[in-house]
Amino acid sequence: NAGVTQTPKFQVLKTGQSMTLQCAQDMNHEYMSWYRQDPGMGLRLIHYSVGAGITDQGEVPNGYNVSRSTTEDFPLRLLSAAPSQTSVYFCASSYRYSGNTIYFGEGSWLTVV
Amino acid sequence: AQSVSQHNHHVILSEAASLELGCNYSYGGTVNLFWYVQYPGQHLQLLLKYFSGDPLVKGIKGFEAEFIKSKFSFNLRKPSVQWSDTAEYFCAVNSLRGADGLTFGKGTHLIIQP
């Protein structure tokens, strides 16, 4: 059971480049979400999805897009990378969006230069 | 909107000392409460959670937390810490509806000195 898998683990981008962070879970979880972690800020929610075909914005959605075409996958797209998007990104999932433990992936370290 | 406040950003203790990390939340409705731990260079791991029932919750590695509804608090405790407890600790809440994800506190960096 792989749990929540994120790729890549490390990435360096130039300002203005685009990229996609991949997230996959094999637990048949309905709820998936993306967080970013910055020093002294804790984790902040970027986007989330309560099921295939349904996505919504979290606390810090600007500069990011998501889609949920399947239950298993929830990719996060950076449209035009900026240095302010240098962060550690965590994907998370749970069976339902409430009353269940939320499981986190191992993180993706992104640096924008 | 809900918010989470962790009282101490940095805590330094000696081994065998007792630990209490404060967490207060602000939300008008019923919430689920969590404590996560992040060891250096690793992802978040669930320490314990409270959904309902007994307000004293026991988690892994000897940690426990007490939910005090009247104080909107969910403090984390451990009677005797070890060097291996050095990590970042995050308190988090989500509403009973839960679709808007977890709201995290800013974290407490705990350092245990041998």
Side-chain angles (χ1 to χ4, degrees):
Chain A
N1 189 341
V4 181
T5 304
Q6 291 182 231
T7 56
K9 190 158 187 174
F10 299 98
Q11 182 72 49
V12 179
L13 284 179
K14 294 182 179 179
T15 298
Q17 285 185 317
S18 62
M19 77 158 296
T20 300
L21 299 177
Q22 302 291 345
C23 176
Q25 51 87 13
D26 61 357
M27 298 175 280
N28 200 31
H29 285 173
E30 294 183 358
Y31 183 82
M32 297 185 74
S33 53
W34 277 101
Y35 294 84
R36 60 177 288 173
Q37 183 182 23
D38 302 292
M41 300 293 290
L43 282 84
R44 292 178 292 169
L45 182 66
I46 305 171
H47 285 285
Y48 64 93
S49 168
V50 299
I54 306 169
T55 64
D56 208 343
Q57 296 180 350
E59 181 184 355
V60 287
N62 292 341
Y64 307 94
N65 270 358
V66 292
S67 60
R68 185 93 180 271
S69 56
T70 67
T71 299
E72 294 77 21
D73 301 298
F74 190 47
L76 178 72
R77 297 182 186 85
L78 281 72
L79 308 172
S80 177
S84 61
Q85 294 178 302
T86 294
S87 188
V88 183
Y89 292 85
F90 289 96
C91 180
S93 75
S94 67
Y95 178 59
R96 292 293 302 274
Y97 48 75
S98 178
N100 288 273
T101 300
I102 297 176
Y103 296 89
F104 286 84
E106 294 191 346
S108 296
W109 274 254
L110 176 66
T111 301
V112 182
V113 298
Chain B
Q2 54 208 26
S3 65
V4 178
S5 175
Q6 291 184 236
H7 305 164
N8 308 101
H9 295 301
H10 298 276
V11 174
I12 301 174
L13 293 173
S14 299
E15 277 193 314
S18 63
L19 170 71
E20 181 161 2
L21 301 182
C23 173
N24 286 90
Y25 68 93
S26 172
Y27 184 69
T30 304
V31 296
N32 301 315
L33 297 152
F34 305 83
W35 275 97
Y36 282 88
V37 61
Q38 186 178 33
Y39 297 104
Q42 297 188 24
H43 65 292
L44 285 90
Q45 301 174 39
L46 182 67
L47 269 180
L48 47 80
K49 61 188 178 186
Y50 174 80
F51 291 160
S52 64
D54 189 343
L56 184 61
V57 179
K58 294 192 184 299
I60 61 172
K61 305 188 180 188
F63 286 92
E64 65 178 31
E66 185 176 12
F67 171 50
I68 303 179
K69 189 174 181 180
S70 61
K71 295 185 178 181
F72 297 90
S73 70
F74 191 55
N75 292 354
L76 181 71
R77 300 194 292 249
K78 186 171 183 178
S80 177
V81 294
Q82 301 171 314
W83 177 78
S84 58
D85 293 324
T86 294
E88 191 94 16
Y89 292 81
F90 294 95
C91 181
V93 305
N94 70 355
S95 67
L96 200 61
R97 187 177 70 90
D100 48 355
L102 285 168
T103 299
F104 284 85
K106 294 186 177 181
T108 297
H109 187 201
L110 176 65
I111 297 174
I112 307 300
Q113 296 176 330

